């Protein structure tokens, strides 16, 4: 009986060690920056919006299975804009871009799954005022004057809407599943959908 208990304990220890080694290998392969493809992004009032995520994985000091993660999201959205002044009658559309970031921690759970824990207090979005374009029907002196007057407050509104959208998006991202890394391509599943990321700096084709 004692011999059986010793064998069982040894087998359990071997399984645990194997699992740790597999998780450490996945973490080592994952460390670095990975760029995803543009994906549809739900933003309040936007006619169309996309987000391109870039995940940067950093191993913690003395931690072989995880560490800190930063996601930088390249956001682009087109939405209608109705001028708040009666002098400009026709509404027009605005296309804006922004960069959003969120930080957190990550951990390789086994040989093909990674878990995230995002810190939503770190969420930050900045709209670049130089990357805002107006539709052709807005290109009049009156419209331009009206837009420049209300542009700062509208940018703040955009940043708030993009922040809300990012918060909802990453609240749903608990981790990546069924990860397979081949060279500079990462294949994984999110909500049972197969997706891909490439290691930043190498635009190798997905095959």
């Amino acid at each position: 009986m004692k011999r059986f208990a010793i064998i069982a304990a040894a087998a359990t220890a071997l399984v645990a060690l194997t699992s740790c080694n597999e998780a450490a290998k996945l973490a080592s392969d994952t460390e670095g920056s990975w760029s995803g493809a543009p994906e549809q992004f739900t933003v309040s009032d936007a006619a169309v919006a996309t987000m391109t995520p870039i995940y940067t994985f950093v191993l913690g000091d003395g931690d072989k299975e995880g560490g800190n993660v930063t996601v930088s999201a390249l956001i682009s959205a087109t939405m209608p804009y109705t001028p708040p002044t009666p002098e400009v009658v026709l509404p027009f559309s605005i296309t804006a871009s922004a960069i959003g970031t969120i930080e957190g921690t990550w951990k390789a759970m086994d040989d093909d799954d990674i878990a995230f824990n995002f810190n939503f207090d770190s969420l930050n979005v900045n709209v670049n005022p130089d990357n805002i374009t107006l539709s052709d029907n807005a290109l009049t002196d009156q419209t331009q004057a009206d837009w420049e007057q209300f542009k700062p407050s509208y940018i703040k509104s955009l940043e708030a809407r993009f922040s809300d959208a990012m918060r909802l998006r990453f609240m749903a991202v608990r981790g990546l599943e069924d990860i397979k890394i081949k060279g500079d391509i990462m294949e994984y599943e999110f909500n049972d959908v197969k997706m891909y990321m490439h290691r930043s700096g190498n635009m190798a084709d997905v095959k």
Side-chain angles (χ1 to χ4, degrees):
M1 189 70 171
K2 185 178 295 185
R3 182 181 179 186
F4 176 78
I6 293 173
I7 293 174
T12 300
L14 180 61
V15 170
L17 179 61
T18 300
S19 178
C20 288
N21 289 341
E22 290 175 342
K25 183 179 185 308
L26 174 61
S28 177
D29 292 343
T30 301
E31 187 178 24
S33 293
W34 297 83
S35 299
E39 55 188 75
Q40 294 298 312
F41 191 47
T42 302
V43 176
S44 175
D45 296 332
V48 60
T50 61
M51 179 193 70
T52 304
I54 301 173
Y55 289 79
T56 299
F57 298 89
V58 178
L59 285 172
D61 293 338
D63 189 344
K64 295 182 179 180
E65 299 176 10
N68 295 324
V69 61
T70 300
V71 183
S72 300
L74 309 179
I75 301 168
S76 178
T78 299
M79 57 199 69
Y81 177 75
T82 302
T85 56
E87 291 85 357
V88 183
V89 179
L90 291 175
F92 52 89
S93 64
I94 289 174
T95 299
S97 61
I99 295 179
T101 58
I102 188 169
E103 300 173 349
T105 59
W106 67 287
K107 185 175 180 63
M109 306 305 292
D110 48 37
D111 65 334
D112 64 355
D113 294 319
I114 286 175
F116 292 128
N117 184 16
F118 288 112
N119 174 13
F120 290 94
D121 289 336
S122 71
L123 178 61
N124 184 58
V125 175
N126 288 307
V127 172
N128 186 340
D130 296 328
N131 286 345
I132 295 179
T133 58
L134 312 183
S135 58
D136 291 342
N137 65 315
L139 301 181
T140 67
D141 291 342
Q142 180 61 57
T143 302
Q144 290 284 358
D146 176 83
W147 166 246
E148 290 300 327
Q149 178 184 356
F150 292 101
K151 184 176 179 179
S153 60
Y154 189 75
I155 286 176
K156 289 184 179 179
S157 170
L158 280 180
E159 289 175 342
R161 279 185 273 176
F162 289 161
S163 294
D164 289 343
M166 271 197 69
R167 184 175 291 104
L168 288 174
R169 175 67 175 80
F170 285 98
M171 283 178 66
V173 181
R174 303 295 180 86
L176 310 179
E177 298 180 335
D178 297 330
I179 298 170
K180 298 179 180 65
I181 297 176
K182 297 179 181 178
D184 291 326
I185 298 298
M186 177 191 292
E187 175 188 315
Y188 65 97
E189 288 191 6
F190 174 67
N191 285 344
D192 297 323
V193 177
K194 185 178 292 186
M195 304 179 76
Y196 297 89
M197 290 193 286
H198 65 266
R199 203 180 291 274
S200 290
N202 191 334
M203 297 294 289
D205 293 333
V206 176
K207 295 184 178 180

